[in-house]
Amino acid sequence: MSSGIEDPDLFIITPFRIVAQEMRRRLEAEREILLAFRVDSREWGNDHIGTIHTVQGREVDTVILLLAAPKASQGGARTWAAETPNILNIAVSRARQNLYVVGSFGAWSGVGHARELARSMERVRVAQGETVHSVQ
């Protein structure tokens, strides 16, 4: 089945290496998703899924930013990612048209520069109490 879209101009990025690795692993297990886009899942995943730093200097039409670290015990990880503007600024500035932020609003909205990001985005509730934000 073809989607009519080939090689989507999209990054899936996160501040955390372990999250990027897991996303590539999951996408590899769900190859049919990318077969619809007529791309090699491993090659596309390696080029389009990674940490914020792996896409520095490159831009795409759409960025999906996976914040992760929703647990109370992961506060140090959230602070590390949001205490200076650099990491989130790199993430936001990779998107030419669309930015989608996936994460726990409650966990991230009060942390460092993520607070400003949360204020600037429309909040949409989705499954399991998580929130998707987008700026258009």
Side-chain angles (χ1 to χ4, degrees):
M1 171 195 259
S2 175
S3 66
I5 299 172
E6 293 184 20
D7 196 9
D9 198 22
L10 164 78
F11 286 147
I12 301 171
I13 58 176
T14 177
F16 309 109
R17 261 189 308 241
I18 190 79
V19 175
Q21 291 166 351
E22 179 63 13
M23 282 305 301
R24 281 192 296 272
R25 187 192 67 74
R26 286 184 179 213
L27 194 59
E28 186 67 24
E30 302 287 337
R31 286 187 177 153
E32 65 275 0
I33 293 170
L34 286 178
L35 285 176
F37 296 123
R38 298 183 181 165
V39 296
D40 176 85
S41 60
R42 182 176 300 261
E43 183 180 317
W44 192 91
N46 286 336
D47 194 44
H48 291 83
I49 300 172
T51 65
I52 290 166
H53 296 295
T54 64
V55 299
Q56 192 168 357
R58 300 188 292 159
E59 292 182 344
V60 291
D61 288 341
T62 301
V63 168
I64 300 172
L65 173 59
L66 304 177
L67 293 176
K71 298 176 184 172
S73 63
Q74 296 170 315
R78 289 190 299 275
T79 299
W80 169 82
E83 77 180 328
T84 66
N86 303 23
I87 292 176
L88 293 177
N89 183 54
I90 292 167
V92 169
S93 64
R94 300 307 92 203
R96 285 191 292 255
Q97 293 180 1
N98 306 297
L99 170 66
Y100 300 95
V101 180
V102 180
S104 170
F105 184 83
W108 282 88
S109 62
V111 180
H113 292 277
R115 182 180 307 114
E116 291 139 43
L117 182 62
R119 270 186 268 188
S120 68
M121 302 188 84
E122 176 186 350
R123 186 173 175 195
V124 180
R125 291 204 175 273
V126 294
Q128 298 181 3
E130 293 301 305
T131 304
V132 176
H133 296 266
S134 68
V135 172
Q136 307 244 350

